[in-house]
Amino acid sequence: MEFGIYTLADIETNPQTGKTVSAKKRIQEILAAAKLADELGLQIVGVGEHHRLDYAVSSVPVILSAIAQQTKNVQLISTTTVLSTVDPVRLYEDFATLDLLSDGRAEIMAGRGAFIESFPLFGYDIKHYDELFEEHLELWQRLNKEERLSWHGNFRAPLENAEISPRATKEIPTWIGVGETLESARRAGRFGTGLALVILGGNPQFFLPLVEAYKLEFIAAKHPIENYKVAITGHGFFAEDGQKARDEFYAYYRNYWGNVNKQHGMAFHMDREDFEKATSPNTPLFVGSPDEIVEKILKQHELFEHTRFLAQLDIGGQPFETVARSIELLALEIMPKVNQYIK
């Protein structure tokens, strides 16, 4: 199994100190985390896109290009690109350039977006939420294969024998990020992309129908079986002792969800009892000791047979030192133990 980390670059006040880092400092910490992950042998680093003042990254390929210059081996993936509100031609050019800079390490994870601020910002109508994603994905797939193409759609100017430059070293691996929507999983299978499940709550078993739907559509569309791939992504916090991990993470996790719900105009409260339930063995929240996390990953592997695990470790206003410790435990203890069992 491949292991990696990803960030959405949220800027949050540390609930323990009351201090908030600047966007500049947040980006510097993301670069440092990526460099550490690469040095310790993790395989993937992901960066997500937002267009709000409480997030530090809106231009993912720029940040990934900076990471490319400080790393040697990690795959560099968007987690996610809001495909509905970006021009696929510009997107391909940016990621092809990243691919050349990084010697073939660029990947795309496309999603429809949990936030909608990019729609008015870039002149798109939210009522075309699904149609935009479908059309842009179709165009992206063609751009990824063809150096010249003609194309007509409903939401951008047509292309007439257009030259698409530069060309990446190969087709850029593409994933679709899916939360709980069955149709999104089917779409990933129909288009032959990877499926990246974002599991942040509930019983992981509830997500099994998404993988099954993806697989059925993938097989029906007769895509090469080697392109079939499933990844699991979720929140994580690791410490040598499981109870210590839960004690430390509670304030940051409560802070994170309080801020996210506030951004969506909703109230939120999580008491300690709720948190303890959220970290129990049959939940998707990866908080605990390395052995506890290994057990959770292996249980999920029995369900999903996934080949990639990505952890979002830097949420809730944590100091970099805490994030770095989780990265170290993921690379040096969790990853090798999981891969002893998965052949």
Side-chain angles (χ1 to χ4, degrees):
M1 186 182 292
E2 295 179 307
F3 283 78
I5 60 170
Y6 72 101
T7 181
L8 299 185
D10 46 312
I11 300 174
E12 300 185 74
T13 300
N14 184 323
Q16 308 286 17
T17 65
K19 295 181 179 179
T20 307
V21 300
S22 65
K24 178 180 179 180
K25 178 66 172 177
R26 191 73 172 90
I27 289 173
Q28 290 173 338
E29 290 178 350
I30 289 168
L31 297 181
K35 188 171 185 290
L36 178 62
D38 186 62
E39 291 172 347
L40 294 175
L42 294 176
Q43 290 91 26
I44 307 105
V45 168
V47 177
E49 167 193 352
H50 285 84
H51 301 271
R52 303 171 52 96
L53 288 172
D54 43 6
Y55 290 84
V57 175
S58 60
S59 183
V60 171
V62 173
I63 301 300
L64 290 179
S65 292
I67 292 173
Q69 301 310 296
Q70 299 189 22
T71 59
K72 296 179 180 179
N73 299 307
V74 286
Q75 292 294 110
L76 306 168
I77 187 170
S78 60
T79 51
T80 62
T81 291
V82 184
L83 190 57
S84 301
T85 58
V86 64
D87 177 17
V89 176
R90 178 80 265 181
L91 180 68
Y92 180 81
E93 290 177 343
D94 286 345
F95 272 81
T97 302
L98 169 65
D99 193 72
L100 296 174
L101 284 170
S102 64
D103 194 25
R105 291 188 278 143
E107 297 189 16
I108 284 276
M109 185 188 297
R112 296 183 300 169
F115 291 87
I116 61 172
E117 68 273 359
S118 61
F119 282 82
L121 188 63
F122 298 114
Y124 291 99
D125 194 328
I126 190 64
K127 72 181 182 182
H128 301 307
Y129 188 75
D130 288 316
E131 298 95 324
L132 277 163
F133 187 82
E134 187 94 7
E135 181 173 296
H136 285 188
L137 180 59
E138 179 185 351
L139 178 53
W140 164 263
Q141 293 285 70
R142 288 195 58 190
L143 293 163
N144 206 10
K145 293 179 172 65
E146 304 171 40
E147 63 181 35
R148 286 179 181 268
L149 78 157
S150 297
W151 178 89
H152 291 254
N154 296 318
F155 299 105
R156 79 170 315 278
L159 301 170
E160 301 293 348
N161 197 32
E163 295 183 9
I164 310 302
S165 173
R167 302 305 300 174
T169 59
K170 60 184 183 310
E171 286 187 26
I172 297 172
T174 303
W175 303 70
I176 291 180
V178 176
E180 300 177 357
T181 308
L182 200 59
E183 180 51 39
S184 293
R186 292 192 182 106
R187 183 184 289 119
R190 191 165 69 250
F191 278 89
T193 72
L195 174 71
L197 283 180
V198 184
I199 307 181
L200 302 182
N203 189 322
Q205 194 156 1
F206 296 155
F207 291 80
L208 187 56
L210 299 176
V211 177
E212 292 171 343
Y214 164 64
K215 188 172 186 178
L216 286 173
E217 291 285 345
F218 191 99
I219 293 171
K222 298 182 179 179
H223 295 297
I225 195 62
E226 61 268 20
N227 292 341
Y228 175 90
K229 49 194 177 183
V230 177
I232 301 300
T233 76
H235 295 152
F237 184 96
F238 317 135
E240 292 79 1
D241 176 78
Q243 191 56 51
K244 179 183 178 184
R246 287 180 279 277
D247 291 342
E248 287 188 33
F249 190 54
Y250 169 58
Y252 297 116
Y253 192 65
R254 183 179 60 181
N255 188 46
Y256 173 81
W257 280 115
N259 288 329
V260 168
N261 280 273
K262 184 179 179 181
Q263 291 159 5
H264 287 286
M266 298 181 292
F268 174 82
H269 174 72
M270 172 178 280
D271 60 27
R272 186 58 191 257
E273 184 179 354
D274 292 334
F275 175 75
E276 291 293 337
K277 290 177 182 177
T279 62
S280 61
N282 294 319
T283 68
L285 183 55
F286 294 95
V287 176
S289 68
D291 286 343
E292 289 173 327
I293 303 306
V294 168
E295 184 177 353
K296 274 197 174 184
I297 293 173
L298 291 174
K299 280 185 177 180
Q300 290 194 11
H301 185 263
E302 291 178 4
L303 285 175
F304 307 123
E305 296 183 337
H306 55 295
T307 57
R308 177 176 284 193
F309 172 78
L310 297 179
Q312 185 182 358
L313 301 175
D314 60 346
I315 65 173
Q318 296 174 60
F320 177 74
E321 294 75 17
T322 305
V323 178
R325 181 187 63 186
S326 285
I327 294 172
E328 290 170 354
L329 290 173
L330 179 63
L332 301 179
E333 296 197 36
I334 297 167
M335 179 173 67
K337 287 181 179 179
V338 169
N339 282 327
Q340 284 180 350
Y341 294 96
I342 298 176
K343 303 300 181 182

